[in-house]
C-alpha cells in the first residue's frame, strides 16, 4: 500500500503540460519506485552500453559518444549508435552480420 506509487502521480511524469521533473522527484518518495528505477537504469547502462561498446569494437565504429549518452539518459544512446553506424556506412547490426562472422571462423 505505502510502497506503490499512485498511478495518477506516475502519469504526471509523462505529462508535458505539467512539471515532469517535479513529478519524478515526487515519485522518489516511494521505495518500490526507487528500487525499480535503479534496477532499470543499471540494467540499461550496463548491458546496452556494453553491447554498444562491443559492437563498436567488432565493427570498428567510434562509440564513446554513444556509450556516454547511453549512460546518461539511456535509449537515446542506442539511437545515436545506430545513427553513427548508418553515417559511417556500417549499417545497423543484423543477423546476417552475425552469420557472416560465424562462417569466417
Amino acid at each position: 500500500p505505502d510502497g506503490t506509487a499512485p498511478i495518477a502521480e506516475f502519469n504526471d511524469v509523462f505529462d508535458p503540460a505539467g512539471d515532469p521533473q517535479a513529478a519524478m522527484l515526487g515519485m522518489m518518495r516511494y521505495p518500490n519506485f526507487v528500487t525499480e528505477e535503479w534496477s532499470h537504469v543499471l540494467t540499461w547502462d550496463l548491458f546496452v552500453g556494453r553491447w554498444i561498446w562491443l559492437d563498436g569494437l567488432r565493427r570498428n565504429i567510434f562509440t564513446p559518444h554513444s556509450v556516454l549518452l547511453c549512460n546518461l539518459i539511456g535509449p537515446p544512446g542506442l539511437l545515436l549508435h545506430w545513427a553513427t553506424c548508418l553515417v559511417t556506412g556500417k549499417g545497423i547490426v543484423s543477423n546476417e552480420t552475425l552469420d557472416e562472422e560465424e562462417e569466417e571462423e
Side-chain angles (χ1 to χ4, degrees), residues 2 16 24 28 33 37 45 50 57 59-60 64-65 99:
D2 227 10
M24 189 68 158
M28 294 298 172
F33 177 78
E37 188 63 19
D45 289 356
R50 183 176 186 270
L57 288 176
R59 298 192 306 142
N60 196 25
H65 62 296
D99 291 341

Side-chain angles (χ1 to χ4, degrees), residues 5-48:
I7 296 297
E9 260 183 76
F10 186 69
N11 288 339
D12 290 342
V13 172
F14 301 100
D15 181 11
D19 187 0
Q21 188 175 17
M24 189 68 158
L25 288 173
M27 296 293 290
M28 294 298 172
R29 296 184 314 225
Y30 302 97
N32 286 354
F33 177 78
V34 173
T35 302
E36 179 279 328
E37 188 63 19
W38 271 109
S39 62
H40 170 79
V41 168
L42 289 175
T43 300
W44 186 270
D45 289 356
L46 293 175
F47 292 104
V48 177

